[in-house]
Amino acid sequence: MKSILLIKDISDFEMLVNTHTDKLTQSAFLKIGNLQDAEDLVQDLFVNLWVKRESIVVHGSVNNYLHVALRNKIMNYFVKAKLHQDVKDRLSIHLEVVDLSLVNLLIEKDLNTLFSEILSELPDHMQKIFRLRNEDFTLKEIAVALGLAEQTVKGYSAEMHRRIKAMLIERHPEFARSLTALLSFLLIK
């Protein structure tokens, strides 16, 4: 097998491009399924050949050399495409998590504001009961802390629950069921 310098001058390069571009583009297109990308790969192959023209020596068929070089470009194309898709998928998941976290934060802020407004409309003794319940005090502990009978605290607690529910439904009737379930969860720990 003889070794030859692939490109000796511009006329060799032009002949190489004119002779092999269509077949290489067709081969690349069949493998990757995108004509623009196939043309770009072949063009990139020829640019690399021109840049390295003084050092490329072919041992054997020029056609085989070009197809092997194109095959390597195609493999790199798929590796880059896979890497790009992986990064895109990870970024998408990360953005979804960030979006969800932001939405949850906004919902929490809105709910806190809403509960603060509603609590400020309750009588002082109900506000105290609510705060103590959120600090995980039992009804008995609340009764002792406020100097009230446990039954009185139960009654105030039930009335507080009813009022909060009514105020929530009044402000947001479209979420009546969800708000009621949420309130029940928050108040009955």
Side-chain angles (χ1 to χ4, degrees), residues 1-17:
M1 223 175 258
K2 73 178 192 174
S3 299
I4 59 166
L5 190 61
L6 185 60
I7 302 169
K8 297 177 193 117
D9 56 31
I10 189 72
S11 64
D12 284 347
F13 182 70
E14 288 174 348
M15 185 181 76
L16 198 64
V17 169

Side-chain angles (χ1 to χ4, degrees), residues 6 16 20 24 45-46 49 62-70:
L6 185 60
L16 198 64
H20 296 281
L24 290 171
L45 170 69
F46 283 121
L49 291 176
V62 170
N63 190 46
N64 286 346
Y65 177 86
L66 292 173
H67 276 86
V68 168
L70 179 63

Side-chain angles (χ1 to χ4, degrees), residues 67-119:
H67 276 86
V68 168
L70 179 63
R71 184 192 70 205
N72 292 338
K73 289 265 182 213
I74 291 169
M75 287 190 310
N76 287 338
Y77 169 86
F78 283 120
V79 167
K80 287 178 184 175
K82 171 91 171 88
L83 180 62
H84 178 74
Q85 187 60 45
D86 289 349
V87 168
K88 188 176 167 184
D89 291 346
R90 287 181 186 168
L91 184 59
S92 175
I93 289 168
H94 181 68
L95 287 176
E96 287 174 14
V97 168
V98 168
D99 286 348
L100 187 57
S101 296
L102 182 59
V103 168
N104 287 340
L105 185 64
L106 291 173
I107 289 171
E108 183 180 347
K109 182 180 178 202
D110 287 346
L111 282 174
N112 285 337
T113 302
L114 180 63
F115 274 122
S116 293
E117 290 171 3
I118 289 172
L119 286 175

Side-chain angles (χ1 to χ4, degrees), residues 127-166:
Q127 289 181 28
K128 290 176 186 172
I129 292 171
F130 184 84
R131 286 189 186 94
L132 292 172
R133 290 286 286 170
N134 281 335
E135 293 176 17
D136 292 327
F137 279 68
T138 65
L139 289 177
K140 189 174 191 171
E141 292 170 332
I142 293 171
V144 170
L146 297 179
L148 300 171
E150 189 175 345
Q151 193 58 41
T152 304
V153 172
K154 283 182 186 177
Y156 284 158
S157 188
E159 177 61 17
M160 173 190 65
H161 184 259
R162 188 196 63 74
R163 286 185 188 187
I164 291 173
K165 179 179 172 184

